[in-house]
Amino acid sequence: MAIASKSPWMAIVLLSFSLMASLSSAFYLPGVAPADFQKRDPLLVKVNKLTSIKTQLPYSYYSLPYCKPDVIVDSAENLGEVLRGDRIENSPYVFEMREPKMCQIVCKVTLGEKEAKELKEKIEDEYRVNMILDNLPLVVPIKRLDQDSATIYQHGFHVGVKGQYSGSKDEKYFIHNHLSFLVKYHKDEQKDLMRIVGFEVKPYSVKHEYEGQWDGNKTRLTTCDPHAKRLITSSDSPQEVDVNKEIVFTYDVDFLESDIKWASRWDTYLLMTDDQIHWFSIVNSLMIVLFLSGMVAMIMLRTLYRDISKYNELETQEEAQEETGWKLVHGDVFRPPVHSDWLCVYAGTGIQFFGMLLVTMIFAVLGFLSPSNRGGLMTAMLLLWVFMGLFAGYASARLYKLFKGSDWKNITLRTAFTFPGTVFAIFFVLNALIWGEKSSGAVPFTTMFALVLLWFGISVPLVFVGSYLGFKKPALEDPVKTNKIPRQIPEQAWYMNPLFSILIGGILPFGAVFIELFFILTSIWLHQFYYIFGFLFLVFIILIVTCAEISIVLCYFQLCSEDYLWWWRSYLTSGSSALYLFLYATFYFFTKLEITKFVSGILYFGYMLIASYAFFVLTGTIGFYACFLFTRLIYSSVKID
């Protein structure tokens, strides 16, 4: 309220951002048609990969000695799901709608040496079991100790826990072999149909005992008995994991009617974190960056207006010989830079990346990339990247022709292969490491072949088509003529040193995204849902503005000090924010993650290297094109003989 009294406009803007954020975080299209169930209809539970935030290596559910159905059937998976490491299969758990079950036996397993070792390793690495019912992931409700009513939901349940028997110092491993499921449903009173809106579980470790001989599902357990209404409510006598130990897997299932409508059933999963802190942090960051951007824009506009007026007045008074500053280098400012061909390649790649991100975010903000459509986001990004090759080829060819280049096919090949080739090489090495760990996260050969086919079969031809169209058009004309002999650049002040100004230039763009980056890294590496694309889109717009303005400001200072080598520096100025991104990722690794395996560490830094490389290409291109338009604008605004 204090803010509102001091600055009503600030309060209105803050409120608008908060409203937009809350809408964008909750609005989504469910992505799949709702399934209606009648009483006693079968509900099929599917199992997904085992995940761990300590190793980041997913494994198939049936890699552990869990109960198996008669025939294991893989669910159809899209490209994004396979790349995420999802392995969705059927399970022996079958429920009937609104038919509660108590202490149902699934199977009995006797552990061999290999099975016991694998279970202990997975418990040690804190692996979680993921299941799906009617496209909803399984969650474990946990009461917050610091708040009376707040409940947070964790994805999946732990394979087991480590602990000690009372009076003993030896650590033992205990498996969660009894699952108490709760299925929430919303009932349509008119049609007497039900839709599933929640899927929860409470896992227990119970050393089951039974009467007489083992008789499969008909065996009478003494530890829990549906006939005697004896339920499991605690893990007082847990099931130890060791060689030759018998483990009996059991489950309960209960049903609870809920007021939550089917269209809103994902809200529980998407609004799990302390959202108020998130909203305030992001809005605060946005307001600071907007304020800085506004100040920079005002300074630039006023200074430039004064410069242009002064230069034009000098021209009319025939005092051009006294001029100083950026007009002096008009004969060299559009001279092609060294390695201009590589600048064309990276500018084209940046346009491709920018187009992919822009379209993806627009679809995400509109709610088309629903979290219920697993792998949809990654699939959309891959396909958009492929089709944006057309714009990459066009942009690189237009710039190449401006530099009076003639070998357009060479530039086109480099545009089509440099960035994706580098990323694919790193990805291939990382995939080999995952394969070596026998993880389900390893991309199969068929999927790898499909990626190569998309690249060579669609992306490369589109880059060539775009390049051909771009090169066929007449070249852009420079606003001023370029001298034949390059002008000598005077000695520069220490703060205009290229390395110093490039490193300084990357701080502001990174500052625009670093808070949002924290939440993105948390969702990726700590396996949480990320669905605040409204804020992400706002941050993306702020990033574009910030990259453009910081590059223009530093480019202007550079030209004023009579240094006309702005082409590469404008790209590197905003592109250097990728260095800060990688440094922040390193900081995040050591402060927030508990990764212990060497391979997992390599995977983390490998994927963050790819992300930083992509961020470099994106921000560098934005800064470069901003400076390109800026220099053309100012040199076409002054009178030059």
Side-chain angles (χ1 to χ4, degrees):
M1 296 306 289
I3 295 173
S5 61
K6 291 178 183 176
S7 174
W9 288 110
M10 180 72 79
I12 290 167
V13 172
L14 196 67
L15 189 63
S16 303
F17 274 130
S18 301
L19 184 62
M20 192 183 301
S22 59
L23 284 171
S24 62
S25 64
F27 173 71
Y28 59 89
L29 301 176
V32 290
D36 293 316
F37 298 97
Q38 294 179 331
K39 194 173 181 182
R40 294 184 180 172
D41 277 355
L43 306 176
L44 304 178
V45 178
K46 294 181 179 179
V47 291
N48 201 350
K49 61 189 175 185
L50 306 170
T51 55
S52 166
I53 59 173
K54 289 184 75 172
T55 69
Q56 302 295 336
L57 294 167
Y59 285 91
S60 166
Y61 176 81
Y62 293 114
S63 64
L64 290 183
Y66 283 125
C67 303
K68 298 179 182 178
D70 296 333
V71 179
I72 297 174
V73 180
D74 287 334
S75 294
E77 289 155 356
N78 59 39
L79 187 60
E81 281 180 299
V82 175
L83 292 175
R84 276 164 36 111
D86 283 349
R87 296 295 180 266
I88 301 171
E89 298 160 314
N90 61 328
S91 79
Y93 297 97
V94 180
F95 309 153
E96 291 179 343
M97 178 55 94
R98 287 180 60 192
E99 287 291 318
K101 292 181 180 178
M102 291 169 54
C103 208
Q104 296 293 303
I105 296 171
V106 188
C107 74
K108 184 186 74 166
V109 173
T110 304
L111 297 180
E113 193 171 332
K114 183 184 174 186
E115 288 91 346
K117 184 186 174 187
E118 284 179 349
L119 272 174
K120 287 178 181 179
E121 285 177 356
K122 296 295 184 287
I123 294 169
E124 181 73 42
D125 290 330
E126 297 179 11
Y127 269 86
R128 291 177 172 275
V129 178
N130 296 286
M131 294 184 176
I132 301 166
L133 177 65
D134 189 36
N135 209 38
L136 268 184
L138 181 69
V139 291
V140 179
I142 298 172
K143 274 278 186 186
R144 289 284 293 268
L145 297 174
D146 55 338
Q147 297 176 28
D148 295 333
S149 57
T151 302
I152 58 171
Y153 295 91
Q154 291 187 344
H155 292 253
F157 62 91
H158 282 113
V159 171
V161 291
K162 282 200 303 181
Q164 300 165 335
Y165 289 115
S166 57
S168 171
K169 291 184 180 179
D170 294 336
E171 278 205 324
K172 301 289 184 181
Y173 295 86
F174 304 102
I175 187 172
H176 285 137
N177 60 323
H178 178 82
L179 305 176
S180 187
F181 294 106
L182 176 64
V183 178
K184 294 181 179 178
Y185 65 91
H186 182 79
K187 188 177 181 182
D188 186 336
E189 296 295 342
Q190 295 178 341
K191 298 179 182 177
D192 198 32
L193 294 172
M194 287 144 282
R195 291 177 177 176
I196 294 170
V197 294
F199 186 34
E200 300 175 4
V201 71
K202 288 183 180 176
Y204 299 99
S205 180
V206 181
K207 186 179 181 181
H208 282 301
E209 295 173 357
Y210 52 88
E211 299 173 349
Q213 295 295 314
W214 178 259
D215 190 20
N217 294 354
K218 297 176 183 176
T219 308
R220 188 81 176 261
L221 298 176
T222 56
T223 39
C224 72
D225 189 354
H227 304 288
K229 302 287 183 184
R230 191 183 297 125
L231 288 172
I232 291 173
T233 55
S234 66
S235 299
D236 291 336
S237 55
Q239 175 62 61
E240 190 182 330
V241 174
D242 217 337
V243 183
N244 298 324
K245 291 278 185 182
E246 279 189 353
I247 301 175
V248 178
F249 289 93
T250 56
Y251 71 95
D252 304 328
V253 59
D254 203 1
F255 293 85
L256 179 67
E257 189 169 354
S258 172
D259 294 331
I260 298 170
K261 289 189 167 57
W262 186 86
S264 306
R265 65 180 188 161
W266 276 86
D267 290 359
T268 307
Y269 300 86
L270 304 181
L271 305 175
M272 281 194 224
T273 52
D274 295 326
D275 52 347
Q276 289 182 348
I277 296 170
H278 191 157
W279 303 153
F280 187 77
S281 306
I282 300 296
V283 171
N284 190 44
S285 175
L286 288 172
M287 294 307 294
I288 291 168
V289 176
L290 278 172
F291 177 70
L292 287 171
S293 301
M295 283 190 64
V296 167
M298 281 177 62
I299 293 165
M300 289 303 302
L301 286 171
R302 292 185 68 178
T303 309
L304 268 176
Y305 181 74
R306 190 172 65 246
D307 282 357
I308 290 167
S309 300
K310 185 179 73 174
Y311 289 147
N312 288 338
E313 283 171 16
L314 286 170
E315 198 65 39
T316 56
Q317 296 166 8
E318 297 182 356
E319 296 174 356
Q321 66 274 14
E322 296 177 18
E323 67 189 24
T324 56
W326 53 268
K327 191 182 175 185
L328 271 177
V329 294
H330 66 81
D332 297 276
V333 75
F334 292 108
R335 187 182 304 283
V338 292
H339 305 301
S340 59
D341 48 352
W342 281 113
L343 184 62
C344 299
V345 168
Y346 274 95
T349 304
I351 290 291
Q352 185 177 11
F353 205 79
F354 179 82
M356 177 200 76
L357 277 182
L358 185 66
V359 177
T360 303
M361 284 197 197
I362 289 170
F363 275 109
V365 168
L366 293 174
F368 291 109
L369 296 175
S370 164
S372 62
N373 181 15
R374 282 178 189 79
L377 181 65
M378 193 171 285
T379 306
M381 288 178 75
L382 276 170
L383 293 176
L384 282 169
W385 167 266
V386 166
F387 290 113
M388 287 293 166
L390 186 73
F391 298 99
Y394 183 84
S396 61
R398 295 292 291 142
L399 197 58
Y400 187 60
K401 194 163 186 179
L402 177 70
F403 293 148
K404 309 290 189 294
S406 56
D407 191 5
W408 68 275
K409 291 177 183 175
N410 179 26
I411 285 294
T412 309
L413 278 171
R414 282 198 259 176
T415 305
F417 288 100
T418 301
F419 179 82
T422 307
V423 171
F424 191 82
I426 297 170
F427 178 71
F428 189 83
V429 172
L430 296 178
N431 196 60
L433 290 173
I434 300 171
W435 199 281
E437 294 291 316
K438 298 178 182 177
S439 166
S440 66
V443 177
F445 174 77
T446 50
T447 307
M448 202 69 98
F449 180 73
L451 289 173
V452 172
L453 201 63
L454 281 171
W455 179 15
F456 282 81
I458 301 175
S459 182
V460 173
L462 282 175
V463 173
F464 266 91
V465 170
S467 195
Y468 173 75
L469 293 173
F471 204 77
K472 202 168 73 167
K473 288 189 74 174
L476 289 167
E477 286 191 13
D478 294 327
V480 290
K481 291 182 180 178
T482 302
N483 297 335
K484 290 183 179 178
I485 301 172
R487 176 190 174 90
Q488 188 173 358
I489 299 170
E491 190 175 342
Q492 301 293 303
W494 65 270
Y495 53 82
M496 290 308 297
N497 180 281
L499 184 63
F500 180 77
S501 62
I502 285 168
L503 290 175
I504 288 295
I507 293 173
L508 199 58
F510 173 73
V513 299
F514 89 96
I515 293 179
E516 198 63 25
L517 184 66
F518 170 80
F519 291 100
I520 293 171
L521 290 177
T522 301
S523 74
I524 294 171
W525 299 106
L526 298 182
H527 304 153
Q528 295 179 8
F529 278 113
Y530 183 89
Y531 202 72
I532 33 182
F533 290 112
F535 265 138
L536 188 61
F537 188 68
L538 286 173
V539 170
F540 183 59
I541 299 298
I542 293 297
L543 177 68
I544 295 168
V545 173
T546 312
C547 286
E549 287 186 347
I550 198 69
S551 297
I552 287 170
V553 169
L554 292 177
C555 180
Y556 173 70
F557 291 154
Q558 184 185 349
L559 293 174
C560 284
S561 60
E562 299 174 30
D563 182 355
Y564 53 83
L565 302 176
W566 64 273
W567 296 93
W568 270 112
R569 203 192 288 195
S570 65
Y571 197 102
L572 296 172
T573 295
S574 51
S576 66
S577 55
L579 174 65
Y580 296 104
L581 188 149
F582 190 77
L583 291 174
Y584 180 76
T586 307
F587 170 77
Y588 185 87
F589 178 84
F590 288 109
T591 57
K592 298 293 180 185
L593 300 181
E594 297 178 14
I595 290 176
T596 50
K597 283 195 173 184
F598 179 69
V599 170
S600 305
I602 292 175
L603 287 178
Y604 176 84
F605 284 105
Y607 284 126
M608 291 316 300
L609 184 65
I610 291 174
S612 302
Y613 185 29
F615 195 69
F616 165 74
V617 170
L618 172 71
T619 52
T621 301
I622 294 167
F624 166 73
Y625 274 107
C627 286
F628 180 70
L629 295 171
F630 170 74
T631 49
R632 291 182 69 84
L633 180 68
I634 63 171
Y635 283 100
S636 61
S637 300
V638 292
K639 298 172 186 174
I640 295 170
D641 289 335

